[in-house]
Structure formats: structure tokens, C-alpha cells
Amino acid sequence: MGLIVQKFGGTSVRDRSRIFNVARIVANTRKAGNDVVVVVSAQGDTTDDLIAKAAEISANPSDREMDMLLSTGEQISIALLTMALQELGISAISLTGWQAGFATNRAYTKARIRRINTERLESELARNRVVVVAGFQGLNRNDDITTLGRGGSDTSAVALAAALHADRCQIYTDVEGVYTADPRKLPKATKLKEITFDEMLELASLGAQVLNNRSVELAKKYGVELEVLSSLNPMPGTVVKEETKVEGMLIKGVAKDENVAVISILEVPDVPGMSFKVFSLLAQRNINVDIILQSSGRGNNKDLTFTVPLTEAQTAISVLEENKNRFGGGAISLSTEYAKVSIVGAGMQSHSGVASTMFEALFNQGINIHMISTSEIKISVIIDKTDADRAVAAIHDAFIH
Amino acid sequence: MGLIVQKFGGTSVRDRSRIFNVARIVANTRKAGNDVVVVVSAQGDTTDDLIAKAAEISANPSDREMDMLLSTGEQISIALLTMALQELGISAISLTGWQAGFATNRAYTKARIRRINTERLESELARNRVVVVAGFQGLNRNDDITTLGRGGSDTSAVALAAALHADRCQIYTDVEGVYTADPRKLPKATKLKEITFDEMLELASLGAQVLNNRSVELAKKYGVELEVLSSLNPMPGTVVKEETKVEGMLIKGVAKDENVAVISILEVPDVPGMSFKVFSLLAQRNINVDIILQSSGRGNNKDLTFTVPLTEAQTAISVLEENKNRFGGGAISLSTEYAKVSIVGAGMQSHSGVASTMFEALFNQGINIHMISTSEIKISVIIDKTDADRAVAAIHDAFIH
């Protein structure tokens, strides 16, 4: 009835039984009358094994040769999955990234897709074949193999769905969809039927690692309807699209992110351009600054407090200490015992009182808020890490149950 | 100071230390002022591991998908060897079969090279790079990956040497060259400095598995000078070329082949076309018949005796029994306790007495000859398997020492 792109990650094809599980899902989709293009990642630990092989040879292998090496992982997967489909009586053919027409820029190990030449793909579909495409890879203008970087198979699938004008792009993972909170931590969290692209982007950046962010951005840009679902439990997942129908839910999810560090610079001279100097130093090192809090000037000075990913905190501190004289600040301090808890929901734009409901829930639990950040569809608070799980449960209760 | 193609097999690149061993050989060749193109096979057991993965999925996987799968083995090797060369400070780049311009016919898993488009290769050489090429693989007119079948990396190397007009094609193996007999069995066997293509072809077909036969045929056709040498012991090997200089050696080698079975069909009607019927039945099943012995007609019947590879003997017997009525023969018997011992040497064409020297050596050992076959550069005898090693030693003594 339509054209469906289905993407399966490495754990979904990690061994014989999982490969046949995937083949059966694809076969059922095909037998229901759909054209199907499948995108697969490398099996289980293959990519890590290949990286280890390279590490044995060189501490700093060339990016071009790494891509040559790593792209074999998906090539193995597509051949095996295609054999399994044929074993189930489904006409199928595998295509590497370059055979499927993925043209990328030159950036080895983190290439971006320039366009997809769908000629071969469409001719295989016209021959009533399921086409199994290697994710994560393409070809640059030199005819050299490139990879899109880790997690790139999601992007491959969405880009293919856009290029082929597919009716839906299904991303199969090891979770059953997008939840209102992490279900391992909060059993009462419920699966969402639908969510908007923007909500999904906010949730992903908040540590709900269901979908790769680049793939969601791409889906939003080209209007590709996504569905996140489980390859092990055959039931409808969560649909990600532009507008969702009213479900009576103001808030789509509560997320916790512990990859947060808070840096403070005291007594920065209160003259124009000082904040710019600080943040451009960090930007040069590709350090993402998230929440920024600037005290009102006291006399000639102000205090600057901001969050960076915990994993980049030490680099940030070193850069700032080295360049202290350029912005003339005083003591620089680092706090690592914090967490960020956020609520996300496109509905909050038009509803007042969302922030106060959130803050009240935290107040009732005696939880202290250190920093606050808001956007049109998100409110984040920085609190003590030890309070974080309790905060998620309290906020979830206030909004969702 | 020329262009050298060097080929390394799977055991030569099976782990980190072997890869660096190969990289040092290549680096030394490069530093001596040569342009170098390297052809490598898949590491150690990689191909067998991949075949096992496919066997888990299907008892009869499609040939196209097998080629998609198996070609990853060499792709891994070329990336790792190139990284090792770069680690040694050598400018190098890896190319897959299709990047290196190998165009093949459509015969998946046993493709033949149609031609090599050397444009990319030559431009990389012009940039002073060592080019590391994946052996055993190419691309057909559909833009699908094909493999040349096992042992095909030798063929890749020779075809590349021919296309690039290389000065020499070096085949690195785990032996030090071509010997006058199997040195594991006959310690006094000596390494040959030179051997002709035809002699090498006869030796290879006799079980001296040093070089893949197709690669020797190709080298002969295009006049590519081959050298067989060891990747572990750095010393000159054996050169295979059109004409060898006189070394005073009539006989280049004595070979034993135990993959031999003798089949007899008694009392075949002595009318024209009967032999043809028998052997065309076997040819249809791709069974190679080697030595044929036909008794003179006795009355209206004759006996037909011939050898086939031991591994194909049962199939041959079944085919013959099933079709017995078509050639009207009597009892069919199979003997598996034989071996073939042969001497090879282009020099014997112009020397009489070679056969009688060989037969005398066997007679002196009390060894009975069951069948004899001769060609311009080869004499083979079928004898009891238990006599074979003694026969090789006696013949070797008579001709070489």
C-alpha cells in the first residue's frame, strides 16, 4: 500500500536468531503489500571489534582508512539479512552505501549526505525486490568510502525515506517507543502514541537516547514521518511528526540528564563583550554551553554561571584558566554534583502555569533549584544530583498521572 | 627502480605482527626506489568465518550475496595494511577491487577479470603512493561486487601486473620458492632459481600447490615475470618466466599426487563412440579425467581404465552406474589405493632416454607401474600409494642428485 523504510540497529541483527527476527518483520511488511527498503547497521560489536583491530596497528589511524575498515561491518549485515529474506522466500537484494547512491562530502568518519541518487534503488524496487541498504556509509567525490559517524544509520534511513518520498520511516530499536520518562527508573512512565519533531529533539538532547538528533532534524526538514518501535515486541511504537493530535497531554516527557557540570566565573568586569569572550573561547573548542545565568552587576563586576557537559568540564576549565587575563575574571569554580531535569511539551506554549506547577512539585519534595532555563517547549532546572530521580517522579505525577 | 606488484596471502597478514612484517617488506621495496602496488587477501581465517556466518543463515545462500559478504575480508586487510604502512612513514592508500578498476564478468563467486581500468591506480602512483589493492574481487556490469573464487588473489596480482606493465609480480607465500620435490617429504629437494610457465603449470596441476594455475596461465599469456618467495625469510625465490637459462637441469621437479582414483569399465562394446559417451557423461558433471588407458579390442569388447580426482570418484561411479545401459559396459571397478608420481621439465622435449631413466629408477626399487602418461614436458606414472614417497626419492636421485 505504500513505501516503508525500516531501520534496524546493531543489536537487532547481532546473531542468527535476531537476523531472522528482523527478516520476519520485513517479510510481514512486504506481504502486507508494501514496498520495503531496509537500512541496517553493523552486527552487535562488529564496529568495536574493527576499531580494536585498527588500534592494534596505529594509535592514530588515518580517517580514510578507518572508513574503509568500518564500512565492512554494515556490508556483512546487509548480505546476511538479504540471505535470510531469500530463505523466507522474499525476493531481496543488498546494496552498499555507494551502490544505493549515497553521495557525501569529504569529511571521513563524520561525513554528511549531499544527496542520494536513487536510480538503482528505484529500479530494484520496480523489480519487486526488498532492498537492503548498508547504513552509516556513502561515497565522496573522490569515489572513496565515507562513514557518517556513529549512530549514522538513523540518518541514512531518514535521508532515504526523504529521497524516495516514503510513506513512513520506521526506526526499530531495543525500546518500544518514546516514554514520558525513563521506564527503567519510573515504572509508571507511559509510552507516547505521538510526539512532534521539536519535542523529540528536546528530549533527545536531554539524554533520552532513543533517536539520533541529526536524523530527527532531517526528518523535520523533509517532513518524513518517523515511527520508533521495538524489533522484539511487535506492537505500534511512537510516531514522530510535525503536528500531533491533541492527546490531552500538556507535557510529553520528563527527562533527567546527569552529564552536566556547572562552571562559575566570579567578578567578571561588567563591560560589554566579556561574555562573548568567554563563550567564544569555549565554542572554539567545540564545547557546548547550555544554561547561562548572569548575575546583575554589583559595582563594576558580575558573576557568570553556566553549564557544560560533564565530559567536557575539565577541558573547559583548562581553557578558561589559560585565558583568564583576556576576560579579567576572578575565581573559576566547577561543580559536578548536579543534574538537569526537564519537561518537554509543545502544548506548554499556550498554557500558563506550567512552570509554577513544576516548581511547586519540587518545592513539595523540598528540592532546591539552582538554575532555571526555559524555551517555548521546554523547562529545565539544575538541581542536586541526589534529588534527580525524586524530582522526575514528582514532576511526572504532577503533569502526567 | 621499476614498478613491482607484490601479492601477500591470508597467512601473511593474519595478525598485527604479520601485517607489520608485510609492511616492512613493502617499505623496503619502496625505499629502494620502486613504485609498488600491493595485492592482499583476507586475513587468516576471515573467509572461512564469513562462510560459516552465511551457512548459519542458509544452506544455499545466493552467489551474489556471498560475494557481497566475502569481499569484506580483503577490504579489512587493505585498510589495516595501509594503516601499518602509514605508521612506518610510507605514503599509502587502499583501494577495493572496484576502486582499483577490476571489471569482471557476471559469474558470481567465480568471476573472470574482463579488464582493469587503471586510471585511478595510475593517478595514485603518480602521487608517489604505495597502492594497496583488495585481491579476489571486482565489479560486474551491474555495478555488483564479484569475487574471483578462492585463490583468486594471485590472479588479481598477475592481471594488475599485466595491466600496469609492471617489471615483476612477486607472489609471497609461506614457502621459499618452487622446489624439485616437496621439501617436507624429501629434505634433499632443492629450490629452483628459475622455471618456465609450462613447467610451473604442470607442477601446479600435479599437486605442488605453490601458485594458482589460472594466475600462471595469465602470466604466460601476458608475459608477466613472476617470482615466488617467502614473506618470512627474506631471500630470492623462484622466478617463473617464458624461457629459463640453462641450469643443466633436465627435470625441474618430481611431484606426487594422492588425489587419484582409478576407474575401470570392463567389456565395453568395441564400436565407435563408446569412449565419447563415457567421457561426455563425466564432463557434464565437471569431473576431470586425467590418464586414460584403453585395452586393444579383444573380440567385440575392450576395457576402459582412467583416473579421476579421488574427491570426485564416488560421483563418477554413480553417474556411470546410472547410465550403464547407454554405453553397454560390464563391471565397473574403483581403486583408491594409487598415487600419481610425475616428472616435469621443458628440457626433456629434446632429450631421449628421460622416460627410461625414470622407469629404471622405479624398477630398481621394485615398484610396479600401473599406468603411464606422457606429454612434451611431463611423464606421469600411476603406482601403489604405499610406494609413492620411495618413488619420488628414487626418481629425484636419478635426475637431480
Side-chain angles (χ1 to χ4, degrees):
Chain A
M1 334 250 191
L3 171 60
I4 298 184
V5 174
Q6 301 186 311
K7 182 261 170 180
F8 298 90
T11 51
S12 296
V13 291
R14 73 169 178 223
D15 56 28
R16 180 192 180 283
S17 87
R18 289 291 188 91
I19 288 173
F20 271 104
N21 175 59
V22 167
R24 279 186 293 268
I25 293 172
V26 175
N28 289 338
T29 312
R30 181 81 188 108
K31 285 172 186 164
N34 299 289
D35 286 330
V36 188
V37 175
V38 186
V39 175
V40 269
S41 307
Q43 289 186 286
D45 302 324
T46 306
T47 304
D48 290 333
D49 292 347
L50 291 170
I51 290 172
K53 268 179 183 279
E56 275 185 17
I57 301 288
S58 170
N60 189 23
S62 96
D63 284 345
R64 181 191 184 277
E65 300 303 329
M66 277 308 282
D67 282 357
M68 178 67 92
L69 181 68
L70 295 185
S71 61
T72 60
E74 287 75 30
Q75 194 172 324
I76 291 171
S77 297
I78 56 172
L80 295 177
L81 178 57
T82 303
M83 290 174 190
L85 283 166
Q86 292 170 343
E87 198 67 11
L88 298 183
I90 301 290
S91 175
I93 188 169
S94 68
L95 298 179
T96 62
W98 58 268
Q99 287 174 327
F102 279 82
T104 75
N105 66 5
R106 283 185 55 96
Y108 296 110
T109 76
K110 46 182 185 294
R112 291 200 163 244
I113 300 165
R114 287 193 300 111
R115 68 191 167 74
I116 304 177
N117 177 351
T118 57
E119 204 175 313
R120 171 83 190 259
L121 268 163
E122 294 189 56
S123 87
E124 299 296 351
L125 288 172
R127 297 172 74 181
N128 291 314
R129 287 174 168 168
V130 168
V131 187
V132 181
V133 176
F136 172 73
Q137 56 182 244
L139 200 68
N140 68 19
R141 283 198 176 93
N142 278 9
D143 276 355
D144 283 341
I145 295 171
T146 52
T147 70
L148 310 181
R150 300 205 96 175
S153 289
D154 284 1
T155 311
S156 303
V158 174
L160 259 187
L164 294 169
H165 307 290
D167 296 283
R168 180 166 284 191
C169 180
Q170 295 184 317
I171 309 282
Y172 285 83
T173 66
D174 46 5
V175 298
E176 284 160 28
V178 182
Y179 280 76
T180 51
D182 184 341
R184 288 166 305 187
K185 290 285 176 58
L186 196 73
K188 66 166 83 162
T190 55
K191 189 170 71 181
L192 295 164
K193 281 209 188 83
E194 295 185 338
I195 187 171
T196 68
F197 292 121
D198 287 338
E199 289 169 336
M200 191 67 227
L201 283 170
E202 290 287 9
L203 280 174
S205 68
L206 295 172
Q209 291 302 346
V210 179
L211 279 179
N212 174 275
N213 249 9
R214 237 167 93 192
S215 62
V216 181
E217 284 163 14
L218 205 64
K220 177 175 155 74
K221 182 171 173 186
Y222 291 103
V224 173
E225 194 169 298
L226 294 177
E227 183 178 6
V228 179
L229 63 182
S230 161
S231 59
L232 291 178
N233 296 327
M235 57 172 79
T238 300
V239 174
V240 191
K241 57 186 195 179
E242 196 49 73
E243 287 300 320
T244 66
K245 59 173 185 264
V246 179
E247 282 194 272
M249 284 175 73
L250 212 52
I251 299 304
K252 289 295 170 57
V254 186
K256 177 184 76 167
D257 184 4
E258 294 190 343
N259 184 18
V260 165
V262 175
I263 294 177
S264 292
I265 312 176
L266 302 182
E267 295 169 8
V268 177
D270 192 7
V271 294
M274 281 305 159
S275 305
F276 167 72
K277 282 184 185 165
V278 169
F279 295 121
S280 66
L281 277 170
L282 297 174
Q284 282 161 23
R285 298 297 185 98
N286 288 316
I287 297 170
N288 286 319
V289 174
D290 182 21
I291 304 176
I292 300 173
L293 195 138
Q294 188 174 300
S295 67
S296 332
R298 289 189 313 255
N300 297 325
N301 297 321
K302 61 185 176 186
D303 298 341
L304 208 54
T305 304
F306 52 88
T307 65
V308 297
L310 187 57
T311 43
E312 289 165 10
Q314 287 306 334
T315 315
I317 292 290
S318 310
V319 174
L320 294 171
E321 289 287 1
E322 279 164 29
N323 296 279
K324 216 169 174 176
N325 59 325
R326 294 175 58 187
F327 52 82
I332 298 173
S333 72
L334 171 67
S335 310
T336 58
E337 296 307 309
Y338 292 134
K340 182 167 69 171
V341 171
S342 311
I343 54 174
V344 171
M348 71 171 72
Q349 292 180 71
S350 50
H351 281 75
S352 57
V354 172
S356 64
T357 302
M358 182 181 186
F359 300 155
E360 185 186 9
L362 295 174
F363 170 75
N364 288 339
Q365 293 288 321
I367 295 170
N368 194 27
I369 300 172
H370 303 296
M371 295 171 81
I372 297 171
S373 160
T374 62
S375 79
E376 290 187 334
I377 66 163
K378 183 188 73 171
I379 303 174
S380 299
V381 295
I382 299 290
I383 59 177
D384 288 349
K385 194 179 281 184
T386 49
D387 290 335
D389 287 334
R390 217 153 35 91
V392 170
I395 296 167
H396 199 272
D397 276 345
F399 284 105
I400 296 164
H401 290 284
Chain B
M1 328 302 139
L3 171 59
I4 298 183
V5 174
Q6 301 186 311
K7 183 261 170 179
F8 297 90
T11 51
S12 296
V13 292
R14 72 169 180 222
D15 56 27
R16 180 191 181 282
S17 88
R18 288 293 186 89
I19 288 173
F20 271 104
N21 174 59
V22 167
R24 280 186 292 269
I25 292 171
V26 174
N28 288 338
T29 312
R30 180 82 187 106
K31 285 173 184 163
N34 300 290
D35 286 330
V36 188
V37 175
V38 186
V39 175
V40 270
S41 307
Q43 289 186 286
D45 301 323
T46 305
T47 304
D48 290 332
D49 291 347
L50 291 170
I51 289 172
K53 267 179 184 279
E56 275 184 18
I57 302 289
S58 170
N60 188 24
S62 95
D63 286 345
R64 180 191 183 275
E65 300 305 327
M66 277 310 283
D67 282 358
M68 177 66 91
L69 181 67
L70 295 186
S71 61
T72 61
E74 287 74 29
Q75 194 171 325
I76 292 171
S77 295
I78 58 173
L80 295 176
L81 178 57
T82 303
M83 290 174 189
L85 284 165
Q86 292 170 342
E87 197 69 10
L88 298 183
I90 301 290
S91 175
I93 188 169
S94 68
L95 298 179
T96 61
W98 56 269
Q99 287 174 327
F102 279 82
T104 75
N105 67 5
R106 283 185 56 96
Y108 295 111
T109 76
K110 46 182 186 293
R112 291 199 163 244
I113 300 166
R114 287 193 301 112
R115 67 190 170 74
I116 304 177
N117 177 350
T118 58
E119 204 175 313
R120 172 83 191 258
L121 268 163
E122 294 188 57
S123 87
E124 299 296 349
L125 288 171
R127 298 172 75 179
N128 291 313
R129 287 173 167 169
V130 168
V131 186
V132 181
V133 176
F136 172 73
Q137 56 181 243
L139 200 66
N140 68 19
R141 283 197 176 95
N142 277 11
D143 276 356
D144 282 340
I145 295 171
T146 52
T147 70
L148 310 181
R150 301 205 94 172
S153 289
D154 285 1
T155 311
S156 302
V158 173
L160 258 186
L164 293 169
H165 307 290
D167 295 283
R168 181 166 285 191
C169 180
Q170 295 184 318
I171 310 282
Y172 286 83
T173 67
D174 47 5
V175 298
E176 284 160 26
V178 182
Y179 280 75
T180 51
D182 185 341
R184 289 166 302 186
K185 291 284 177 60
L186 196 73
K188 68 166 78 160
T190 55
K191 190 169 70 182
L192 295 164
K193 281 207 186 83
E194 295 184 339
I195 187 171
T196 67
F197 291 120
D198 287 337
E199 289 170 337
M200 192 66 228
L201 282 170
E202 291 287 10
L203 280 175
S205 69
L206 295 172
Q209 292 301 346
V210 179
L211 278 179
N212 174 275
N213 249 9
R214 237 168 92 192
S215 64
V216 180
E217 283 164 14
L218 205 64
K220 177 176 155 77
K221 181 171 174 186
Y222 292 103
V224 173
E225 195 169 298
L226 295 178
E227 183 178 6
V228 178
L229 63 183
S230 161
S231 59
L232 292 177
N233 296 326
M235 56 172 79
T238 300
V239 173
V240 190
K241 58 186 195 179
E242 198 48 74
E243 287 300 319
T244 66
K245 60 173 186 266
V246 179
E247 282 193 271
M249 283 176 72
L250 210 54
I251 299 305
K252 287 296 169 54
V254 185
K256 177 184 78 166
D257 184 2
E258 294 189 342
N259 185 18
V260 165
V262 176
I263 293 177
S264 293
I265 311 176
L266 301 182
E267 295 169 8
V268 178
D270 193 7
V271 293
M274 281 302 158
S275 305
F276 167 72
K277 282 184 186 163
V278 169
F279 296 123
S280 67
L281 277 171
L282 298 173
Q284 280 162 24
R285 300 295 186 96
N286 288 316
I287 297 171
N288 287 319
V289 174
D290 184 19
I291 303 177
I292 299 173
L293 196 136
Q294 187 175 301
S295 69
S296 331
R298 288 191 312 255
N300 297 325
N301 297 322
K302 61 187 177 185
D303 298 340
L304 208 52
T305 304
F306 51 88
T307 64
V308 297
L310 187 56
T311 43
E312 289 164 12
Q314 285 306 336
T315 315
I317 292 291
S318 311
V319 174
L320 294 172
E321 290 286 0
E322 280 164 28
N323 295 278
K324 216 169 174 177
N325 59 324
R326 292 176 59 186
F327 51 82
I332 298 175
S333 71
L334 170 66
S335 311
T336 58
E337 296 307 308
Y338 292 133
K340 182 168 69 172
V341 171
S342 310
I343 55 175
V344 170
M348 71 171 73
Q349 293 181 68
S350 50
H351 281 74
S352 57
V354 171
S356 65
T357 303
M358 181 181 185
F359 301 155
E360 185 186 9
L362 295 173
F363 171 75
N364 288 340
Q365 292 289 321
I367 295 171
N368 193 29
I369 300 173
H370 302 297
M371 294 171 82
I372 297 170
S373 158
T374 62
S375 80
E376 289 187 335
I377 66 164
K378 183 187 73 168
I379 302 175
S380 299
V381 294
I382 299 290
I383 58 176
D384 287 350
K385 194 178 280 182
T386 49
D387 289 335
D389 287 333
R390 216 154 36 92
V392 170
I395 296 168
H396 198 271
D397 276 345
F399 286 104
I400 297 164
H401 290 285

